Amino acid sequence: MEWEIKPLSTETWDAYAALIAKHNGIFGGCWDTYFHSLERDPDRTYDSNRELKCRLVEDGRAHAAVVFSGDQAIGWCQYGSPEELPNIHHRKQYDAEADLVPDYRLTCIFVDRDHRRQGVTEFAIQGALDLIAQAGGGVVEGYPHERPTKKVSSSFLYNATRPVYERMGFEYVRPKGLKNTVMRKVVAPR
């Protein structure tokens, strides 16, 4: 497979948006905005989430390593600072047990249904780590799921699994909720 990482930007927006639209806005039409806001706005819709994500990209407040196969986006790994991505699952527990604030978070990894189980997830995570290194590096946290004990659709594994992060050199820090973990890696600047 010939894959390439490109940062999410106004130049890659159309391909990224086409991937999200292909999957009905992903996760109930969130348009990859869930982790950007602590708001629980019942009036947010597919269209308003799309507009929000587009505006965040235009303002340079949304980051992702987008995986391309030719001109088509086939996946991504969203990353950003805790200020940029404040909403994480089990936030109350996370805050109560936090020993440090990371420089970056990996919060949402998505792969096109036609390209799953081919290594795109790890390629996207590595792409995010490379972009973080280019931006100066730092402490990076991910919040993967523990290895499922029963068959789970990969579409529900929005942050991959602990074994994926372990293969990529992340260290286990602690549990988060019943099925998630906090994993951490220091990325050197490039």
Side-chain angles (χ1 to χ4, degrees), residues 7-18:
L8 179 59
S9 68
T10 55
E11 290 79 30
T12 57
W13 169 258
D14 288 341
Y16 170 82

Side-chain angles (χ1 to χ4, degrees), residues 43 78 83 162 172:
D43 295 329
Q78 177 178 255
E83 295 79 23
R162 181 176 170 179
Y172 175 82

Side-chain angles (χ1 to χ4, degrees), residues 47-182:
D47 291 329
S48 67
N49 284 333
R50 184 186 191 286
E51 290 171 18
L52 172 61
K53 189 65 175 198
C54 185
R55 190 170 56 253
L56 290 168
V57 170
E58 289 171 347
D59 294 346
R61 296 185 298 138
H63 298 89
V66 184
V67 180
F68 278 82
S69 178
D71 293 335
Q72 179 186 16
I74 62 169
W76 73 78
C77 176
Q78 177 178 255
Y79 68 93
S81 69
E83 295 79 23
E84 187 176 294
L85 300 167
N87 194 22
I88 58 175
H89 294 290
H90 314 290
R91 172 82 189 254
K92 188 174 182 179
Q93 175 196 4
Y94 175 87
D95 288 343
E97 297 174 357
D99 59 334
L100 64 80
V101 176
D103 298 299
Y104 292 94
R105 290 179 167 155
L106 307 181
T107 56
C108 186
I109 302 162
F110 185 82
V111 176
D112 177 49
R113 67 178 151 259
D114 298 329
H115 295 275
R116 292 183 183 150
R117 301 195 184 280
Q118 298 175 19
V120 176
T121 295
E122 288 184 39
F123 193 81
I125 293 170
Q126 187 58 56
L129 297 175
D130 291 344
L131 292 171
I132 288 167
Q134 291 171 19
V139 176
V140 179
E141 279 187 353
Y143 312 107
H145 304 273
E146 285 288 359
R147 179 189 303 270
T149 55
K150 60 183 179 177
K151 181 103 171 114
V152 175
S153 170
S154 57
S155 64
F156 291 107
L157 299 175
Y158 63 88
N159 209 310
T161 61
R162 181 176 170 179
V164 170
Y165 280 74
E166 288 171 340
R167 284 194 302 271
M168 301 193 73
F170 281 76
E171 293 184 15
Y172 175 82
V173 178
R174 65 181 178 277
K176 183 170 75 71
L178 295 176
K179 298 179 182 176
N180 293 84
T181 62
V182 176

Side-chain angles (χ1 to χ4, degrees), residues 16-37:
Y16 170 82
L19 175 58
I20 294 177
K22 175 182 177 180
H23 292 271
N24 300 314
I26 67 161
F27 308 118
C30 96
W31 272 83
D32 202 20
T33 61
Y34 176 82
F35 298 102
H36 283 286
S37 173

